[in-house]
Amino acid sequence: MTSGARGPRGPYRTGIKTREQIVVAAAKAFGEKGYRAASLRQIAADVGLSPAALLRHFESKEDLLAAVLNWWEAETAHRENPDLQGLRAIDQLRMSMAYHLEHRGLLELFITLTAEATNPEHPARDFVRRRYAQVVRTKTDQLLQAVQTGEIPPLTEAEAESDIRALLAVMDGLELQWLLDPNMDLVGTFDRYLDHAMTCWRAGTRPIL
Amino acid sequence: MTSGARGPRGPYRTGIKTREQIVVAAAKAFGEKGYRAASLRQIAADVGLSPAALLRHFESKEDLLAAVLNWWEAETAHRENPDLQGLRAIDQLRMSMAYHLEHRGLLELFITLTAEATNPEHPARDFVRRRYAQVVRTKTDQLLQAVQTGEIPPLTEAEAESDIRALLAVMDGLELQWLLDPNMDLVGTFDRYLDHAMTCWRAGTRPIL
């Protein structure tokens, strides 16, 4: 019975490992070439498979994209500490920035897919839109939390969302600048920006409004 | 002699017009699908040509990309008034934002090619890097000009560049947000951000440092 149970487990485990290898290779290809331009044939070759063998793991390119997006979300999601509140929760964006600096491939994937997804027909559009809206919502709530606990003077919800949108825009824009010119001081520039935003929020002067 | 001179002029003019049509169709395709994923065959079909006929106007896809980049630069360059100085020169970024709102296709082309060009091997990389560096330089000089004429209190060159980089990052990032979600108040959010930056520059408090 033991050996009978083990029998399928070996190949099953191999299957999971192959699947993971394909997803990592696809993430690299999508980040470097874009989803549309990346070829399944090349991704298969990158992990030593034939295209037909790859299609036994993923039905289609779109199916593979969904797996890459899930993988990307899992890779990036664990980094936020849900116990932090208010400005300290927002301050965690510095960590994200440092993480991106260490994981250029993930950042390139994010920027490339986001830009592609500006096309209404792109298959990653719903995912990217949903995720962006989620981040805006979470960070806006954290800023409003800082108001509720008296950590900072009042802000309307619209003001809070506007500030958070500008803050996230600065992150994306600076990351784009850094991908184009690695000599640029990504972490330092963002740190100074966030320091200033924090100072303004605490002082009740609008940093971005 | 007149008719002899006219003879070649007709087809020559037609050639220029066809070339323009190809460039506009290519700009649309590159913006929607990305440079790599767009196909010459489809671009040719969009203007009613065979691929072979298209290749009589442009030697290669890369050649066509160069023409699109020149066209994009010409379309966007004329909008700055070179006579304005200091903060008033920087203030023209509001116009750029309003222009992008009216020309979504040009903006999509810019964002898509910029994201693709984060790949070191992308043929538009040099153009995008050069252009970005140029904009940073021009706007930083305009901010330092405001210091020199006494319009605003002192800033070091590094501080000025850091502020301008953050300002341009906000523009790019907000534009990306708007392409993903057209309900977002692009011009309003940027206006409030720039108003605040101007106030801080005038007051000598660092908006972004």
Side-chain angles (χ1 to χ4, degrees), chain A residues 32-33 36-37 104 115 118-119 125 129 132 165 169-170 177 179-180 192-193 196 206-209, chain B residues 32-33 36-37 104 115 118-119 125 129 132 162 165 169-170 177 180 192-193 196 206-209:
Chain A
E32 285 175 0
K33 302 203 170 87
R36 285 178 197 279
R104 187 189 156 102
T118 58
N119 183 331
R125 185 170 172 92
R129 280 167 55 98
Y132 214 111
R165 280 193 174 277
V170 167
Q177 289 178 28
L179 287 172
L180 288 169
R192 286 192 294 275
Y193 180 84
H196 177 76
R206 310 300 325 296
I208 294 142
L209 177 76
Chain B
E32 285 176 1
K33 301 205 171 86
R36 286 179 197 277
R104 185 188 158 103
T118 58
N119 182 331
R125 185 168 172 92
R129 280 167 55 97
Y132 215 110
S162 176
R165 280 193 174 275
V170 167
Q177 288 178 29
L180 288 169
R192 286 191 294 274
Y193 180 85
H196 176 76
R206 309 300 325 296
I208 295 145
L209 178 77

Side-chain angles (χ1 to χ4, degrees), chain B residues 142-199:
Chain B
Q142 289 168 352
L143 189 52
L144 291 171
Q145 203 176 45
V147 172
Q148 280 149 21
T149 59
E151 191 180 3
I152 62 170
L155 276 178
T156 67
E157 189 167 338
E159 287 170 340
E161 184 179 323
S162 176
D163 287 3
I164 290 300
R165 280 193 174 275
L167 184 61
L168 297 173
V170 167
M171 284 188 81
D172 294 341
L174 290 180
E175 287 172 345
L176 197 56
Q177 288 178 29
W178 176 74
L179 286 172
L180 288 169
D181 175 10
N183 293 320
M184 183 242 167
D185 180 14
L186 176 62
V187 169
T189 307
F190 182 66
D191 270 353
R192 286 191 294 274
Y193 180 85
L194 191 51
D195 286 347
H196 176 76
M198 294 283 180
T199 305

